């Protein structure tokens, strides 16, 4: 080891010497007979160096490197410093002697002779002659770029100095640990991947989901910012799903299942599951209004300008996977970031790498791990820094950061509230609008009078089928209102109610997020705001309580639901005959054994649809077969449903009317006399000469489409 | 106890079931085709009703043959070789004693309705030699005047060999001319330069004209409403106009999937029948844009002419494949004399059907019609085309400056201009 190092240093030295000027060699060779101790040693080294010199490592450029602890006592290294070995220093011990006069002269001559040295002297560089050069120098100076020695900028130097040895060690240890962890993880994953049991995987998946949920809950309690980030990730996943159209029943697996589903219950369930998943993932979250977002954005910016704190960092990381976003985001804060923590800089690249190389997961995971470590370190450092430097300021910054978290949370909660409200509004409007719509006459759209098809329908049976077909086609459509449909008025059995509820369930339980008291964030300055929020909430709750002081709506509802469930359960049939085979009479009951024997247990019905929906009652009694025999929209001439109902309710048959009324009611609008030619209308027909009416073979009742002139004339004639 | 006696209960459901049954029976008994009158040796080009006799019908074929038919016996009474080439038009005199024909041989001929006596030759009463080909003819409803069309509309006195007056507007050939049955001095004609021209016989010049998107083949006046007429257009539609306001049709009737060749009103003025190149005839209510009935048979080819009989019970149509077909105007109507009970039941059923027509089940049964595959697929196709057009229009409106793209209603869309 030591020998090696020695050789290296020597080599460096020799190179330097070579670089400075060649005549020195010559000079040394000239002074070799001098018995100087020092000189001898140097000479030895030189010889060694020369002997070790071969063609390969002729000349090494000075490299940037860490500050080394070991400084050779023999080494007169000039690297990095920019100084040169001065020839005169070496020459000092040499006494002036006549024998060396010529040599000295020679040397002097050499000295006086100006040779262009490389790299150029500082003065030479500094002397910028042309304006272009000047400009370039100016620029370089401004940016603190090294002019003479193009190795390290001051910033880089600073960063180099910042990393102490211990830290480097720590970092290395961390890296090692991370790598080890990763390898363990990989091995485990490989092992698990080999397991073929589907059930096992299912269980694992379920467990994972559960765990994730739990963790999220925990996170929400402990660290709202991280929870937010998580939420965003979920949102991103949803977006990806929406874009990628996975779980759409279009894959190979799904198709095969679709075929199987007809016969196999399991396959059907799997398919449904997948559909549900799709629905869940593609659920669109409503975006908060633009103004709000903008506000949030400005706030964020201001805060970023103030101090790039933890929250911001988290945010950036959350935005990470999108390199474009990241670039624009970081470009603003680059300055600050470079000054604050140099570790932050390489991050974007890492992100990009992880983005682009999606296949090699382990690498990405490692990256993530490393990043986490780095984050932690930077955090630690900053906290130290801030504590050291300015306690008041740090307080403030923390305050602001926590405030931001809170504001974020608030925005989120507002969004959620809005969602909720809008959904409720929708529900309520759905409750009211259909009735309004029903009352609107369908004037614009004229339905075709014929339903033309390429199939023939000739017999009664076929006609019956036709009607049925129609009714099944219309099954999905909302039910029309007619005579007795009180049930429809109640909002509970609206068919779209369960869907809404489902939606609600699938989202992260927003209500809970709102109502459960978020655990106080462990930071110093937060509590006051927290309390404020709590108070607000409490106030609201109080208000609601006061408003509904008299009636316990929830309990009533629950009771109602319980009753509904009870009513819908299939009843057992008790066929015991009291007194059959035993004594009967007042006060005697058939024996338990007999009762047990003759009690026919009703089979368990299908599970209720509202089983998992605590605040919904779904009425499953609705008879879809009646829908075909009802009117869907109010027909044209009627303006209100009661008009229509009234016309329907007045019977026209002779069963309910007198003969005369029946005749009157059933007379057709246009009556033609059979076997008579109907002549075109004449002026006389409409009242000029009432005498000639006898030969009119068409009698018109309710002349609807006759022009007004004709109508008037008709009136006249009737008056006559 | 309730005030109502028990038999009055549940009148609505009972009537509903009655209505349902009536509707089903209507569809079961819907057999509109009565007879096919064959005998022509070329496509039937024109038809005419006898003004006084319900059973008599006249038809002209593409080989110049005119036949007179008896509908009750369903046979041909008389055959005349009237023209060389097509018989372009045929019309009866209002008295019913004679009829007029025009043909490709540039002649107008008047014939006696009754056949020649024993030993007499089949000869026209009068023959007028014209200078150009006549494409249509119609007789005045009350006077001894008739009008022909070709290069111009000529109005003739029966006694003269030269027209009383001839009116032109533009240079294109006029395909049909029709007298107004009520205001008898009014005439309507349609020309191949896409316009419908109205004339007053008392004036020397035409009244006004309306230009449509495509050519109109025929028009027909409503016999019960003076100023209303319907035009059968090449663009598959029929347009009902009020002649006082030609800029907007009263109704656009669209159901055909090919050019409409002929149209005739029911004498009650409530409905009209149209014949189309798509091998079907359709019956439209005057105030509806969709047809209430479509008739077709396998053997019926392009329908060229159609007439509604004067008692409003039957429809005749002449088609390419040399046959004249007789249809019931009301597909499920019972023929023959009805007893009073039958009549009452019929009326009651009709009323019930009307009353419950909006109920889905009933509506679906009542509306069902069988269509040949060709027409069906064409309907589908055109539906798609129409939708595409609409979508495009909507998009155009959506993506242009508000107000820059005018919203034109379906009625106005097909009217190019009105000239007076």
């Amino acid at each position: 080891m030591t020998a090696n190092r020695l050789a290296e240093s020597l080599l460096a030295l020799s190179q330097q010497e070579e670089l400075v000027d060649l005549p020195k060699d010559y000079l040394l060779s000239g002074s070799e007979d001098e018995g100087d101790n020092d000189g001898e040693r140097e000479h030895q080294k030189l010889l060694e160096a020369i002997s070790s010199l071969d063609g390969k490592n002729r000349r090494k450029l000075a490299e940037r490197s860490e500050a080394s602890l070991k400084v050779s006592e023999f080494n007169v290294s000039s690297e990095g410093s920019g100084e040169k070995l001065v020839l005169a220093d070496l020459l000092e011990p040499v006494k002036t002697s006549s024998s060396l006069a010529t040599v000295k002269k020679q040397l002097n001559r050499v000295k006086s002779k100006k040779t262009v040295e490389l790299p150029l002297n500082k003065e030479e560089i500094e002397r910028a002659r042309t304006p272009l050069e000047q400009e370039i120098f100016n620029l370089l100076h401004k940016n603190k770029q090294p002019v003479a020695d193009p190795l390290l900028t001051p910033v880089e130097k600073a960063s180099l100095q910042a990393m102490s040895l211990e830290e480097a060690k720590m970092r290395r240890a961390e890296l090692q640990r991370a790598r080890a962890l990763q390898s363990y993880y990989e091995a485990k994953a490989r092992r698990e991947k080999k397991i073929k049991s589907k059930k096992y995987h299912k269980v694992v998946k379920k467990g994972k989901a559960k765990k994730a949920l739990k963790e999220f809950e925990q996170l929400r309690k402990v660290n709202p910012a991280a929870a937010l980030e998580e939420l965003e990730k979920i949102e991103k996943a949803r977006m990806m799903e929406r874009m990628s159209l996975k779980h759409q029943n279009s894959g190979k697996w799904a198709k095969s299942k679709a075929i199987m589903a007809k016969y196999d219950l399991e396959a059907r369930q799997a398919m449904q599951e997948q559909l549900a998943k799709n629905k869940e993932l593609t659920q669109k979250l409503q975006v908060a209004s633009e103004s709000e977002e903008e506000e949030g954005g400005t706030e964020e910016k201001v805060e970023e300008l103030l101090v790039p704190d933890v929250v911001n960092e988290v945010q950036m990381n959350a935005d990470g996977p999108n390199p474009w976003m990241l670039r624009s985001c970081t470009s603003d804060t680059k300055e600050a970031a470079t000054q604050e923590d140099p570790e932050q800089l390489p991050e974007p690249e890492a992100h990009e790498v992880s983005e682009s190389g999606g296949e090699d997961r382990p690498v990405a995971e490692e990256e993530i791990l490393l990043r986490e470590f780095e984050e932690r370190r930077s955090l630690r450092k900053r906290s130290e820094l801030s504590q050291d430097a300015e306690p008041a300021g740090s307080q403030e910054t923390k305050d602001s950061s926590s405030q931001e978290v809170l504001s974020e949370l608030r925005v989120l909660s507002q969004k959620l509230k809005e969602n909720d409200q809008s959904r409720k509004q929708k529900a309520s409007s759905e409750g009211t609008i259909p009735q309004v719509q029903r009352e609107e006459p369908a004037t614009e759209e004229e339905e075709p009078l014929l339903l033309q098809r390429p199939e023939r329908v000739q017999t009664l049976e076929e006609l019956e089928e036709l009607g049925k077909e129609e009714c099944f086609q219309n099954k999905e459509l909302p039910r029309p209102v007619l005579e007795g449909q009180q049930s429809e008025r109640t909002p509970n059995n609206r068919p779209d109610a369960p869907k809404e509820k489902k939606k609600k369930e699938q989202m992260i339980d927003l209500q809970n997020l709102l109502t459960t008291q978020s655990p106080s964030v462990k930071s110093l300055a937060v509590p006051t705001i927290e309390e404020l929020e709590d108070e607000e909430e409490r106030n609201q709750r109080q208000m609601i309580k006061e408003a509904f002081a008299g009636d316990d709506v929830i309990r009533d509802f629950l009771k109602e639901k319980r009753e509904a469930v009870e009513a819908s359960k299939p009843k057992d049939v008790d066929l015991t005959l009291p007194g059959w085979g035993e004594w009967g009479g007042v006060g005697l009951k058939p024996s338990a054994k007999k009762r047990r024997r003759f009690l026919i247990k009703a089979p368990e019905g299908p599970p209720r649809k509202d089983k998992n929906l605590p605040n919904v009652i779904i009425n499953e009694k609705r008879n879809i077969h009646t829908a075909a025999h009802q009117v869907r929209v109010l027909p044209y001439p009627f303006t209100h449903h009661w008009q229509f109902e009234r016309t329907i309710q007045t019977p026209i048959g002779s069963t309910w009317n007198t003969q005369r009324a029946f005749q009157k009611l059933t007379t057709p609008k246009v009556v033609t006399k059979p076997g008579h030619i109907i002549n075109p209308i004449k002026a006389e027909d409409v009242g000029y000469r009432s005498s000639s009416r006898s030969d009119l073979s068409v009698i018109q009742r309710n002349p609807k489409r006759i022009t007004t002139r004709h109508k008037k004339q008709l009136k006249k004639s009737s008056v006559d | 106890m309730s005030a109502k006696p028990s038999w009055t209960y549940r009148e609505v459901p009972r009537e509903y079931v009655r209505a349902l049954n009536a509707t089903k029976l209507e569809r079961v008994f819907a057999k509109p085709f009565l007879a096919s009158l064959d005998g022509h040796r070329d496509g039937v080009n024109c038809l005419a009703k006898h003004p006084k006799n319900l059973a008599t019908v006249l038809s002209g074929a593409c080989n110049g043959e005119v036949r007179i038919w008896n509908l009750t016996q369903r046979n041909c009474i008389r055959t005349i070789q009237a023209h060389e080439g097509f018989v372009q038009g045929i019309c009866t005199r209002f008295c019913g004693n004679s009829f007029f024909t025009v043909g490709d041989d540039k002649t107008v001929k008047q014939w006696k309705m009754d056949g020649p006596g024993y030993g007499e030759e089949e000869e026209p009463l009068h023959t007028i030699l014209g200078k150009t080909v006549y494409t249509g003819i119609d007789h005045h409803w009350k006077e001894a005047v008739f009008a022909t069309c070709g290069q111009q509309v000529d109005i003739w006195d029966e006694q003269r060999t030269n027209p009383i007056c001839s009116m032109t507007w533009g240079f294109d050939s006029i395909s049909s001319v029709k007298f107004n049955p009520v205001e008898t001095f009014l005439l309507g004609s349609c020309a191949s330069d896409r316009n419908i021209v109205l004339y007053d016989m008392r004036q020397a010049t035409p009244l006004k004209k309306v230009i449509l998107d495509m050519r109109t083949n025929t028009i027909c006046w409503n016999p019960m409403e003076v100023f209303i007429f319907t035009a059968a257009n090449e663009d598959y539609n029929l347009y009902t106009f009020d002649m006082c306001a030609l800029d907007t049709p009263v109704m656009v009737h669209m159901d055909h999937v090919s050019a409409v060749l002929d149209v005739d009103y029911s004498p009650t003025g409530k409905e009209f029948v149209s014949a189309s190149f798509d091998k079907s005839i359709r019956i439209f209510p005057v105030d509806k844009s969709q047809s209430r009935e479509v008739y077709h048979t396998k053997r019926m080819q392009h329908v060229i002419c159609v007439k509604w009989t004067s008692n409003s019970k039957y429809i005749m149509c002449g088609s390419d494949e040399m046959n004249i077909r007789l249809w019931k105007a009301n597909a499920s109507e019972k023929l023959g004399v009805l007893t009073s009970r039958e009549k009452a039941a019929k009326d009651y059923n009709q009323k019930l059907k009307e009353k419950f027509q909006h109920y889905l089940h009933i509506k679906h049964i009542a509306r069902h019609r069988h269509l040949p595959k060709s027409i069906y697929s064409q309907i589908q196709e055109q539906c798609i085309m129409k939708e595409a057009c609409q979508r495009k229009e909507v998009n155009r409106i959506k993506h242009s400056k508000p107000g820059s793209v005018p919203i034109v209603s379906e009625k106005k869309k097909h009217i190019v201009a009105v000239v007076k």
Side-chain angles (χ1 to χ4, degrees), chain A residues 468-494:
Chain A
K468 269 179 197 165
E469 200 180 294
E470 164 80 337
C471 89
F472 285 115
Q473 275 171 7
N474 299 326
K475 211 160 44 171
E476 286 86 31
L477 292 161
R479 221 146 49 103
V481 72
L482 246 206
E483 304 103 297
Q485 292 172 15
Q486 313 86 341
S487 59
E488 210 190 18
R489 303 276 148 76
T490 61
N492 298 329
N493 51 2
R494 243 180 301 114

Side-chain angles (χ1 to χ4, degrees), chain B residues 94-123:
Chain B
F94 57 92
C95 62
N97 291 331
S98 62
F99 63 92
F100 295 83
T101 57
V102 289
D104 269 353
D105 53 359
K106 301 178 188 175
T107 52
V108 182
K109 287 180 180 171
Q110 184 185 9
W111 306 81
K112 264 170 79 173
M113 191 65 79
D114 304 320
Y118 179 74
E120 283 180 51
E121 267 188 52
E122 190 81 86
E123 271 187 343

Side-chain angles (χ1 to χ4, degrees), chain A residues 685-703:
Chain A
D685 295 337
V686 284
Y688 285 146
R689 257 183 294 145
S690 52
S691 60
S692 66
R693 277 185 70 87
S694 55
D695 70 17
L696 179 67
S697 48
V698 178
I699 305 154
Q700 287 200 337
R701 303 174 71 244
N702 310 346

